[in-house]
Amino acid sequence: MTYILQVDFKMEGPFGHEMVKEFTDLAKSINNEEGLNWKIWTEDNEAKEAGGIYLFETKESACKYLTMHTARLKGFGIEKVNGKIFEVNEVLTSINHGPIN
């Protein structure tokens, strides 16, 4: 069973190419997180929101990451972090070609 972690939060930027410049090292370090299969970075410059969608191997690793990441974001000055963990229905997801591995 795999688990999706959905995180979003308000932030003033950077977005787009500036976000890439600012967060490339962070993105590389996230690859070392226990149980992480992948992350999709999300951003909406107009709404001033960012976040990510993550696939974890276990619920425990998703919870551990969410706790750590929330503290890191608060250290960056982000006041409110929304995080939800969902169990992936792998059979239905595979029908729709979802990246579950």
Side-chain angles (χ1 to χ4, degrees):
M1 191 62 56
T2 54
Y3 293 83
I4 290 286
L5 168 60
Q6 173 188 314
V7 175
D8 64 85
F9 48 89
K10 293 282 191 184
M11 81 173 199
E12 291 301 313
F15 295 100
H17 295 295
E18 291 300 315
M19 181 184 253
V20 172
K21 289 179 192 174
E22 191 74 26
F23 296 122
T24 294
D25 288 341
L26 176 60
K28 289 177 182 178
S29 76
I30 289 170
N31 288 332
N32 299 320
E33 294 297 332
E34 179 184 332
L36 176 72
N37 288 0
W38 50 255
K39 175 184 179 179
I40 296 173
W41 289 67
T42 59
E43 61 181 284
D44 184 341
N45 186 12
E46 191 173 303
K48 302 294 186 208
E49 293 182 320
I53 307 294
Y54 307 73
L55 183 69
F56 282 93
E57 294 174 6
T58 67
K59 187 172 186 178
E60 292 75 24
S61 57
C63 288
K64 182 179 174 183
Y65 182 81
L66 178 58
T67 299
M68 179 279 301
H69 190 47
T70 298
R72 175 172 50 206
L73 289 169
K74 290 189 180 215
F76 292 161
I78 306 295
E79 294 181 20
K80 185 171 193 289
V81 178
N82 302 309
K84 291 183 180 181
I85 297 172
F86 299 93
E87 189 173 306
V88 175
N89 185 310
E90 294 178 357
V91 174
L92 292 175
T93 300
S94 67
I95 291 170
N96 298 116
H97 312 288
I100 54 174
N101 52 6

